[in-house]
Amino acid sequence: MKTSIGRKGFAGANIVVLSLLSLVTAYPILYVLFASLSNPADLMAHEGLLLMPAGFSLDAYGLVLENRMITGGYLNTIIIVVAGVTLNLLMTSLGAYFLSRREVLWRNAIMMIIVFTMFFGGGLIPYYLTVKGLHLDNTLWALIVPTAVSTFNLILMRTSFMNIPEEVIESATMDGASHLTVLFKIVLPLSLPVVAVMVLYYGVGHWNAWFNAMLFIHDRDLYPLQLVLREILVQNNTDAMLIGSDSFDKGLVAETLKYAVIIIATVPILALYPFLQKYFVKGMMIGALKG
């Protein structure tokens, strides 16, 4: 079938517009990367767009990787992400399986109560008092347990489970499989795309979380990476990271140091997405097929 001139022109315009949008989106990331690799003095003297590193220096990365705040924040964040995502998947899959079963009494009423929490909450003060009353404050559990289940993710996983043919579950039940066996050996393996979506959603949420840490964590040794990053960028506090860096101009290195911290804090979560990409779109579409 011959393509018309108008269709070719439309496709060409789309390519141009999307390319420009991609460039606008990618440039801030490239700017931060180039700035982190730049010589501090050359970066301060540079004006206009930064299309390549101004000079070349790895001093900022050396300081970041040697700093105990960053390494400790990394370790705390990894613990939070691993423990948090594990708990999230367990609680969300249990809740989604329960609410997806047709034989559950008052299933729709329970679902409405759960959905209600998406629009109305108790507020920050009751939330703080609840966490403090459970003696979770100033522990990493304060960043894991209160966010065990996301209502949106629960709905997404429930919808995916409802798309599994009922005959498959009935067959396993007739063979003597318990509900936990059905969930972990049949339902979840058949729902790998939506599980990958849950891992990405919950993982990114835990990796980027800083507000709860600011509320509940008082011991600096328990700071997650994002709280360390906030202290450096928002409060402009790099003095602790520059201790022992007399060989550098501290005022200049502090500028590239901020960019290096951003790159180190961002790369791991960006590296995760390509491994889950093939499941991501499929998982989102499965959740959109049936309400």
Side-chain angles (χ1 to χ4, degrees):
M1 182 177 177
K2 187 176 180 180
T3 305
S4 65
I5 296 177
R7 187 176 293 274
K8 290 181 179 179
F10 179 74
N14 275 341
I15 293 173
V16 172
V17 171
L18 292 176
S19 298
L20 290 175
L21 288 175
S22 300
L23 180 61
V24 170
T25 303
Y27 179 71
I29 300 175
L30 293 175
Y31 179 90
V32 173
L33 176 62
F34 294 153
S36 68
L37 296 171
S38 297
N39 181 279
D42 294 337
L43 179 64
M44 294 294 291
H46 181 80
E47 296 181 358
L49 296 175
L50 188 64
L51 301 178
M52 63 180 64
F56 183 79
S57 174
L58 295 176
D59 293 344
Y61 284 98
L63 288 174
V64 169
L65 295 176
E66 291 173 2
N67 186 264
R68 193 164 109 13
M69 286 174 55
I70 296 296
T71 55
Y74 246 109
L75 178 60
N76 291 332
T77 297
I78 290 172
I79 293 173
I80 292 168
V81 170
V82 173
V85 170
T86 302
L87 180 63
N88 293 144
L89 289 178
L90 177 63
M91 300 301 294
T92 305
S93 59
L94 288 173
Y97 176 76
F98 171 79
L99 293 169
S100 66
R101 302 277 44 89
R102 297 175 181 175
E103 65 271 17
V104 172
L105 188 64
W106 297 337
R107 180 184 68 170
N108 292 333
I110 296 173
M111 195 65 215
M112 289 299 296
I113 294 173
I114 293 174
V115 172
F116 181 83
T117 64
M118 293 182 66
F119 305 100
F120 301 95
L124 181 59
I125 294 176
Y127 176 61
Y128 179 83
L129 293 176
T130 300
V131 174
K132 192 172 181 62
L134 293 172
H135 305 291
L136 297 176
D137 58 313
N138 205 33
T139 68
L140 295 182
W141 290 112
L143 312 181
I144 298 172
V145 175
T147 56
V149 178
S150 164
T151 303
F152 175 80
N153 292 342
L154 176 65
I155 295 172
L156 190 65
M157 183 170 273
R158 168 184 176 265
T159 306
S160 175
F161 287 176
M162 291 176 68
N163 289 326
I164 296 175
E166 193 68 26
E167 293 78 8
V168 175
I169 298 175
E170 289 179 356
S171 176
T173 304
M174 291 176 63
D175 289 338
S178 65
H179 286 294
L180 288 179
T181 301
V182 171
L183 172 60
F184 291 108
K185 292 190 176 181
I186 297 176
V187 175
L188 286 178
L190 291 175
S191 306
L192 285 181
V194 78
V195 171
V197 172
M198 295 299 102
V199 170
L200 189 62
Y201 278 3
Y202 280 125
V204 171
H206 284 298
W207 186 272
N208 291 332
W210 61 271
F211 185 71
N212 282 359
M214 185 182 68
L215 288 178
F216 301 118
I217 303 298
H218 314 300
D219 186 351
R220 292 178 65 85
D221 290 336
L222 296 177
Y223 274 14
L225 183 61
Q226 297 302 328
L227 199 57
V228 176
L229 182 62
R230 177 183 179 274
E231 186 175 75
I232 293 172
L233 297 180
V234 177
Q235 300 180 3
N236 200 29
N237 182 11
T238 58
D239 293 340
M241 299 186 66
L242 292 171
I243 294 175
S245 59
D246 294 334
S247 57
F248 308 122
D249 187 325
K250 294 184 179 182
L252 295 178
V253 174
E255 291 300 317
T256 56
L257 183 64
K258 298 174 185 178
Y259 296 116
V261 172
I262 294 173
I263 291 296
I264 289 178
T266 305
V267 165
I269 205 66
L270 289 178
L272 177 65
Y273 181 76
F275 297 100
L276 300 177
Q277 184 179 9
K278 64 178 180 179
Y279 299 108
F280 186 75
V281 175
K282 184 178 179 182
M284 290 298 294
M285 291 301 295
I286 288 176
L289 290 176
K290 187 177 180 181

